């Protein structure tokens, strides 16, 4: 019995000594002028977010086979590297707008929340999520920046505990989509302009900020900040990152890395997914 008590006392002393010997980590003063910007498709999430949204609609019986074929044909408009044809972008946008008119914003947001929990949450890259959390832990704000409709982008940001999202904005009136965009698709140079505008509003110093993307289409955004990082990069972005000494993080393995580089990741390809989603939602409203 005494031997047991001595062991316990020795253990307690060892524990107290170990705790007292811990050197506290140096405190880091938050930099209010620093922030991080993350692309979504294939950077934060495997695949295209609007495609996963469409899959969720299909699971609810809001798609027909023809709708899914239209989506697949939309993906075929774009090359593997994601170098979109401007004429195709314009055509895709016009078609998408024809379907979005009259849809209720609240319904789209509600479906986005459900579908994120059911389909998208398991597709978040743990490595990219950890990168975002590291910025949050430093007291920095973290925004998603994506061509995905801003309502869906906000759902993703909220679910991940991020600051907010910049996304493509569709015009609304009385809670209903009008069928017109406010500005244009948030793609390529438009992402950089959105970040500049946000930086002015929030008092950010872009030289203190970080940006993350998988695509060479986002070079304007990546080149805007002091600390760019290529995440799961396509070949063009990887080469550019190497030449310029940018950080590279790749969380893909094997065949998965090849599949993720397919056109489904292209911004305008996401618009094609939006067309199919719009078709399904319109049929849903007409039948209800």
């Amino acid at each position: 019995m005494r031997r047991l008590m001595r062991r316990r006392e020795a253990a307690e002393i060892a524990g107290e000594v170990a705790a007292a010997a811990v050197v506290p980590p140096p405190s880091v003063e938050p930099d209010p002028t620093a922030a991080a910007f993350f692309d979504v498709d294939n950077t934060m999430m495997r695949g295209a977010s609007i495609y996963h949204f469409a899959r969720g609609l299909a699971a609810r019986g809001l798609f027909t086979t023809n709708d899914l074929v239209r989506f697949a044909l939309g993906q075929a408009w774009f090359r593997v590297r994601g170098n979109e044809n401007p004429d195709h972008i314009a055509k895709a946008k016009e078609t998408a707008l024809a379907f979005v008119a009259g849809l209720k914003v609240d319904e789209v947001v509600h479906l986005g929340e459900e579908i994120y929990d059911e389909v998208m949450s398991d597709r978040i890259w743990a490595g990219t999520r950890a990168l975002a959390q590291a910025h949050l832990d430093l007291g920095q704000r973290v925004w998603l920046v994506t061509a995905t409709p801003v309502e869906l982008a906000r759902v993703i940001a909220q679910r991940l505990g991020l600051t907010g999202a910049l996304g493509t904005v569709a015009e609304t009136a009385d809670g209903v989509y009008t069928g017109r965009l406010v500005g244009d698709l948030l793609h390529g140079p438009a992402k950089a302009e959105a970040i500049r505008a946000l930086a002015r509003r929030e008092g950010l110093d872009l030289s203190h900020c970080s940006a993350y993307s998988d695509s060479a289409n986002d070079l304007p955004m990546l080149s805007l900040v002091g600390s760019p990082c290529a995440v799961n990069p396509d070949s063009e972005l990887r080469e550019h990152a190497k030449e310029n000494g940018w950080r590279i993080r790749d969380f893909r393995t094997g065949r998965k890395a090849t599949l993720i580089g397919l056109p489904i990741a292209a911004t305008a390809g996401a618009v094609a997914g939006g067309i199919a989603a719009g078709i399904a939602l319109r049929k849903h409203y007409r039948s209800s």
Side-chain angles (χ1 to χ4, degrees):
M1 187 68 176
R2 288 181 180 178
R3 188 175 298 176
L4 180 59
M5 291 179 64
R6 288 173 183 171
R7 287 178 181 174
R8 287 178 179 174
E9 289 175 357
E12 290 176 0
I13 293 172
E16 291 176 1
V17 170
V22 169
V23 177
S27 60
V28 178
E29 190 69 24
D31 181 357
T33 68
F37 304 97
F38 285 79
D39 172 53
V40 174
D41 297 348
N42 294 318
T43 302
M44 181 63 74
M45 177 184 297
R46 297 194 299 275
S49 50
I50 194 67
Y51 171 72
H52 297 315
F53 181 63
R55 282 187 58 203
L57 294 178
R60 287 161 171 74
L62 301 179
F63 266 162
T64 66
T65 301
N66 288 337
D67 297 332
L68 293 174
V69 168
R70 288 190 187 187
F71 174 81
L73 291 175
Q75 304 307 300
W77 285 348
F78 311 104
R79 290 182 244 167
V80 170
R81 287 190 177 182
N83 297 319
E84 298 94 337
N85 182 313
D87 292 336
H88 288 156
I89 292 176
K91 183 176 180 181
K93 185 174 72 173
E94 289 174 5
T95 309
L97 293 177
F99 286 106
V100 76
L103 300 183
K104 297 178 182 178
V105 177
D106 289 346
E107 181 70 9
V108 172
V109 171
H110 176 68
L111 286 170
E113 292 171 342
E114 287 187 352
I115 292 170
Y116 176 86
D117 295 338
E118 295 171 7
V119 179
M120 300 183 195
S121 60
D122 291 339
R123 296 182 176 274
I124 298 297
W125 290 107
T128 311
R129 179 70 185 87
L131 292 173
Q133 187 60 50
H135 286 283
L136 293 172
D137 292 343
L138 290 173
Q140 297 178 9
R141 288 166 285 181
V142 178
W143 278 279
L144 299 179
V145 187
T146 174
T148 294
V150 68
E151 290 81 10
L152 182 57
R154 285 172 182 159
V155 168
I156 298 170
Q158 289 168 358
R159 288 297 197 262
L160 294 175
L162 307 182
T163 306
L166 300 171
T168 297
V169 179
E171 183 183 76
T172 62
D174 299 322
V176 175
Y177 292 107
T178 66
R180 295 183 293 273
L181 286 183
V182 179
D184 210 333
L185 298 174
L186 196 68
H187 168 65
K191 286 188 177 183
E193 292 303 322
I195 290 173
R196 284 193 183 96
L198 184 68
R200 289 193 295 269
R201 192 187 77 184
E202 300 293 328
L204 301 175
D205 182 341
L206 291 174
S207 68
H208 295 181
C209 293
S210 304
Y212 301 81
S213 178
D214 71 296
S215 173
N217 291 322
D218 284 337
L219 281 173
M221 175 179 81
L222 294 167
S223 301
L224 191 64
V225 301
S227 182
C229 181
V231 176
N232 305 328
D234 60 29
S235 58
E236 183 179 351
L237 178 57
R238 182 182 293 275
E239 187 63 28
H240 187 93
K242 288 180 179 179
E243 290 176 355
N244 289 273
W246 292 359
R247 291 176 295 150
I248 299 175
R249 299 289 184 271
D250 202 326
F251 305 116
R252 304 166 299 179
T253 57
R255 183 168 176 268
K256 185 182 295 182
T258 302
L259 292 175
I260 290 171
L262 293 175
I264 194 171
T267 298
V271 176
I275 296 170
I279 296 170
L281 283 171
R282 172 139 336 253
K283 290 182 177 179
H284 170 62
Y285 284 126
R286 285 176 175 171
S287 63
S288 60

